[in-house]
């Protein structure tokens, strides 16, 4: 059983092995898509293959769409060359359900794949051709938040970006420079309308994409490399829109256990490829069953009824409320609780932590009791139902190989948004008392205890990467189990608004956090005893 056009001609073998196959005429869909593409996606990674491509496949199967997807990859061309093309753009989606069931789907909705390579005349010419088409309604992106940045970590303009600013749209080298040049081709073809939809997991993602492309439009029009009207085109939402979106679906790296399931079914050629850019890609993607994609409904060239496939279209304000609901209360803070205490208690899987009485109660209390009272209900998703799904379906899913060590990465950058916003909402409320927050301070104390790099058994462990480790670790570096730390010693950390979102002294939490920390450093096993006492 080969994953390609020829191998899939033997439908009976695939169906006998339990695979769902495309139910549409792929040749007809391919022809229609190439002639009149409606959706091109940038970023040929796992989230796209597991989510957007599968949504389009379901709509094609039901006859709600008659055209498929074009995908372009601009970061790592080898994904297209070594994975898409050898498999005729087919991939396998393995949905790992919390109840232990496994669903296997051959996804064939992607009917054309291209490298975003200005040196490749055929591929780049084809991309310009697509962008000149009247039919094109949207270009979407999953290129990570970093993909929209035009500067280095030190704030200097990336060399390729600086060179593209000067050289103009003819043969750009930077990712966003290439996208901007394709939009310029659309502008030159008659200022045709399009929605540029970032689907990356970052707040106000449409603004990040707009700022990046707008920078190129500004530079090119200022130095005469592009028509003066191009800047106005990019800045006219009736011509080019940059909707906000919120995406949520866990698609971990292709797992060896999933590969074995497929091999046992008789599928050949499943070996993953590690590209020269260190991308790990396989012919299959494994994913959880839950998925959310909420998009601001701003499509100047129209759009198909993708809501029939489960996508949600709404106003910008609602997208913002959904984003805050997820990031500040209903998902991300709960992950951080489990990450910190999972590392301290020796867990290697987030899912296993939900079998731990104290940790389960910790996240339930932080979510339902402390966080939920200040969530603004976005209307399109119910916050309590969202937490229910997170705690009862998503996090306990034994198939999801996520680790507390991975999620503990960059915790200093996450605490302010994941907990600070809740504290500020309590401070601003006339009905709520910030002193009623008992477990959010316990999470802060847990993080300080984590920074010691000593687990609850008194054994050393390696801290996950974090840009502030060198800044914060010295405050707990000389602490040993059995010591008592004075609040004043921790003051520079506890009053750091950038870390916690608030000054913990002004919030009345500094003493509580220090007290919890002292209880947790009393002796080996003290972390567990502290959890039992307060949770």
């Amino acid at each position: 059983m080969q994953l390609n056009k020829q191998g899939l001609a033997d439908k009976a073998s695939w169906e006998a092995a339990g695979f769902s196959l495309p139910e549409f005429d792929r040749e007809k869909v391919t022809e229609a898509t190439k002639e009149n593409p409606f959706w091109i996606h940038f970023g040929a990674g796992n989230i796209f293959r597991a989510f957007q491509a599968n949504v389009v496949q379901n709509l094609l199967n039901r006859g709600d769409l008659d055209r498929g997807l074009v995908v372009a990859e601009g970061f790592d061309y080898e994904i297209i060359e070594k994975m898409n093309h050898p498999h005729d753009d087919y991939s396998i989606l393995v949905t790992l359900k919390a109840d232990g069931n496994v669903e296997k789907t051959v996804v064939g909705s992607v009917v054309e794949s291209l490298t975003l390579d200005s040196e490749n005349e055929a591929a780049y010419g084809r991309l310009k051709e697509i962008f000149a088409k009247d039919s094109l309604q949207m270009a979407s992106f999953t290129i990570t938040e970093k993909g929209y940045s035009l500067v280095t970590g030190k704030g200097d303009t990336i060399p390729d970006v600086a060179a593209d600013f000067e050289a103009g749209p003819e043969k750009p080298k930077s990712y966003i420079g290439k996208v901007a040049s394709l939009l310029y081709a659309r502008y030159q073809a008659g200022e045709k309308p399009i929605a540029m939809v970032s689907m990356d997991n970052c707040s106000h993602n449409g603004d990040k994409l707009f700022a990046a492309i707008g920078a190129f439009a500004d530079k090119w029009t200022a130095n005469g490399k592009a028509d003066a009207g191009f800047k106005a085109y990019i800045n006219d939402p009736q011509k080019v829109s940059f909707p906000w979106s919120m995406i949520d679906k866990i698609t971990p790296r292709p797992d060896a256990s999933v590969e074995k399931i497929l091999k046992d079914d008789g599928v050949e050629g499943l070996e993953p490829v590690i590209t020269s850019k260190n991308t790990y890609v396989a012919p299959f993607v494994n994913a959880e069953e839950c998925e959310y994609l909420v998009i601001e409904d701003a499509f100047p060239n129209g759009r198909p009824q993708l809501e029939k496939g489960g996508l949600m279209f709404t106003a910008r304000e609602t997208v913002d409320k959904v984003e805050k609901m997820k990031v500040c209360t209903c998902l991300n803070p709960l992950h951080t609780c489990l990450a910190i205490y999972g590392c301290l208690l020796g867990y290697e899987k987030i899912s296993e932590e939900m079998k731990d009485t104290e940790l389960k109660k910790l996240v339930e209390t932080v979510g339902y009791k402390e966080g939920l009272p200040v969530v603004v209900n976005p209307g399109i998703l119910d916050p309590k139902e969202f937490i229910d799904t997170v705690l009862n379906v998503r996090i306990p899913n034994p198939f999801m190989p996520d680790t507390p060590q991975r999620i503990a990465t960059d915790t200093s950058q996450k605490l302010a948004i994941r907990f600070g916003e809740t504290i500020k909402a309590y401070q601003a409320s006339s009905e709520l008392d910030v002193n009623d927050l008992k477990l959010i301070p316990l999470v802060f104390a847990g993080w300080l205890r984590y920074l010691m790099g000593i687990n609850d058994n008194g054994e050393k462990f390696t801290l996950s990467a974090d840009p502030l480790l060198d800044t914060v670790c010295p405050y707990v570096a000389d602490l040993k189990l059995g010591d008592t730390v004075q609040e004043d010693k921790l003051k520079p950390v506890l009053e750091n608004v950038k870390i916690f979102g608030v000054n913990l002294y002004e919030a009345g939490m500094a003493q509580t956090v220090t007290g919890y920390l002292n209880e947790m450093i009393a002796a080996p096993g003290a972390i567990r005893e502290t959890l039992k006492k307060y949770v």
Side-chain angles (χ1 to χ4, degrees), residues 128 161-172 177 180-185 187-188 215-231:
K128 285 187 173 180
V161 171
D164 290 347
F165 281 165
E166 292 301 315
E170 195 57 39
K171 245 189 179 180
S181 82
L182 295 175
L183 268 178
Y184 189 57
Y187 163 80
Q188 289 179 309
F216 281 92
D218 290 348
K219 293 287 187 181
W220 288 345
T221 52
N223 65 15
K225 297 294 183 182
D227 292 351
F230 181 51
K231 182 176 176 180

Side-chain angles (χ1 to χ4, degrees), residues 437-454:
L437 295 173
K438 303 298 184 188
L439 296 194
I440 287 177
L442 188 63
V443 177
F444 293 162
W447 178 62
L448 293 171
R449 175 66 180 78
Y450 162 89
L451 293 173
M452 291 170 61
I454 299 170

Side-chain angles (χ1 to χ4, degrees), residues 397-510:
N397 188 336
F399 281 121
M400 288 294 104
D402 223 341
T403 68
Q405 292 75 20
R406 186 192 74 80
I407 296 172
T409 303
D410 299 338
T411 299
S412 72
Q413 310 297 294
K414 299 171 179 175
L415 295 172
I417 188 72
R418 297 186 180 191
F419 301 100
E421 293 303 306
T422 295
I423 296 168
K424 285 189 271 190
Y426 270 75
Q427 289 174 318
S429 172
S430 58
E431 299 171 8
L432 297 168
D433 185 350
V434 74
N435 293 314
D436 290 336
L437 295 173
K438 303 298 184 188
L439 296 194
I440 287 177
L442 188 63
V443 177
F444 293 162
W447 178 62
L448 293 171
R449 175 66 180 78
Y450 162 89
L451 293 173
M452 291 170 61
I454 299 170
N455 67 20
D456 201 25
N457 294 327
E459 302 157 342
K460 289 186 177 181
F461 67 88
T462 303
L463 298 177
S464 301
D466 189 310
L468 286 189
L469 288 184
D470 290 342
T471 304
V472 293
C473 285
Y475 293 98
V476 297
D478 57 354
L479 284 179
K480 299 179 181 63
L481 297 189
D483 288 349
T484 300
V485 62
Q486 298 302 312
E487 189 182 307
D488 285 353
K489 184 182 179 186
L490 298 174
K491 187 175 182 183
V493 180
L494 298 176
E495 66 183 6
N496 192 324
V497 175
K498 287 186 177 179
I499 292 178
F500 298 107
V502 295
N503 179 325
L504 295 184
Y505 285 91
E506 293 174 2
M509 287 185 176

